[in-house]
Amino acid sequence: MITYPAVRQDLAFAVADDVAAGDLVAAAHEAAGPELRAMRAFDVYHGDQVGEGRKSIAFAVSFQSSERTLSDEDAAACARRS
């Protein structure tokens, strides 16, 4: 079996304070499909830049195809679907 390399990116989403990181992970997996292999929250920010009652959650994300090596553009397209 040939294993193709993963493309890793950091993504951040600004959401309401009551949105759980797990809800974002579930929605991203549904939207991005099987090429989204891993998504782990590593930072939560509250402050003026995201506004009152909101937060920004940053994730380390891995995209990987079982059929080919993904380009950065492929990963960006997956991220936009997330």
Side-chain angles (χ1 to χ4, degrees):
M1 178 170 93
I2 297 174
T3 302
Y4 295 97
V7 176
R8 292 176 175 78
Q9 296 182 337
D10 291 343
L11 303 174
F13 300 92
V15 296
D17 272 335
D18 62 349
V19 174
D23 293 342
L24 291 175
V25 171
H29 276 285
E30 185 176 323
E35 291 178 339
L36 175 56
R37 298 297 171 100
M39 186 170 179
R40 179 185 57 83
F42 68 87
D43 188 41
V44 177
Y45 170 79
H46 292 91
D48 292 339
Q49 291 179 330
V50 292
E52 187 174 330
R54 298 181 58 78
K55 63 186 173 186
S56 174
I57 305 175
F59 293 90
V61 181
S62 295
F63 297 101
Q64 186 177 30
S65 172
S66 59
E67 299 173 356
R68 64 189 176 90
T69 298
L70 297 176
S71 67
D72 288 337
E73 291 80 19
D74 293 328
C78 290
R80 283 191 296 274
R81 291 192 308 259
S82 304

